[in-house]
Amino acid sequence: MASSNNVSSLRIGQGYDVHKLVHGRRLVLCGEEIPHEKGLLGHSDADVATHALIDSLLGAAGLGDIGRHFPDSDVSFKDANSLSLLARVVDIIYDYTIINVDLTIVAQEPKLAGYIPKMQTNLVRILRCDNVNIKATTTEGLGFEGRCEGISAKCVCLLQKNNDN
């Protein structure tokens, strides 16, 4: 059994995001551009997977959410690269070490399995954490994802508070 000192330094965060699929936009997930007839609508590049990850990290650190740090009312974030936003979040949570990340992307199409290794490499590089897991799943045709109206992503992470020594 872990001592209460170790347990109190651990923080779990969860994030969730959804973006609508539309014509005339690029489809970017975890920094990878995925060839597809539609892309995700949003103020930034609408990288739904990276947005869920950002919310997970900020939540674990008790620092709010992506909208608090990068509001869509701020024109400086228009078409922003979400991996750049993620790098800023890693700087913001400097008091913590990222232990692991588990990210699930929910999309009926396109099929994402072939892109996951590159997505993982992108996140590992920015997070400086080797324990990054990405999964993709469908909804078997159910719901907005199943009707190809949008893509959602869910993420959990574990952070450990760094020692002040």
Side-chain angles (χ1 to χ4, degrees):
M1 182 170 160
S3 73
S4 61
N5 236 4
N6 290 340
V7 172
S8 65
S9 70
L10 298 175
R11 303 282 189 267
I12 297 170
Q14 64 95 22
Y16 175 76
D17 199 28
V18 173
H19 283 277
K20 182 179 182 176
L21 281 165
V22 296
H23 290 282
R25 292 276 300 190
R26 299 178 312 131
L27 177 57
V28 179
L29 297 169
C30 299
E32 280 303 304
E33 188 165 343
I34 313 294
H36 191 57
E37 65 189 31
K38 293 181 180 179
L40 293 170
L41 181 63
H43 185 68
S44 66
D45 61 8
D47 183 339
V48 69
T50 301
H51 293 182
L53 170 56
I54 287 171
D55 270 351
S56 176
L57 294 169
L58 290 170
L63 297 172
D65 63 18
I66 192 170
R68 177 173 157 191
H69 293 269
F70 312 108
D72 62 7
S73 59
D74 187 332
V75 296
S76 70
F77 300 121
K78 178 74 175 140
D79 298 322
N81 178 317
S82 292
L83 289 185
S84 295
L85 301 179
L86 178 61
R88 289 174 67 174
V89 167
V90 170
D91 289 341
I92 290 168
I93 64 166
Y94 67 91
D95 282 345
Y96 295 90
T97 298
I98 301 166
I99 304 299
N100 79 306
V101 167
D102 188 31
L103 175 64
T104 304
I105 302 167
V106 184
Q108 194 64 37
E109 57 181 49
K111 298 300 181 196
L112 300 173
Y115 300 96
I116 288 176
K118 283 187 172 185
M119 290 187 222
Q120 227 162 351
T121 297
N122 293 342
L123 297 184
V124 165
R125 176 179 45 85
I126 292 169
L127 298 174
R128 298 182 296 271
C129 172
D130 290 335
N131 197 356
V132 175
N133 187 55
I134 302 172
K135 306 176 297 281
T137 190
T138 70
T139 61
E140 302 294 328
L142 300 173
F144 71 89
E145 298 105 332
R147 293 187 301 272
C148 302
E149 295 171 2
I151 294 176
S152 69
K154 303 170 188 181
C155 185
V156 293
C157 72
L158 180 64
L159 305 182
Q160 184 167 31
K161 182 94 165 136
N162 298 328
N163 291 332
D164 294 327
N165 299 338

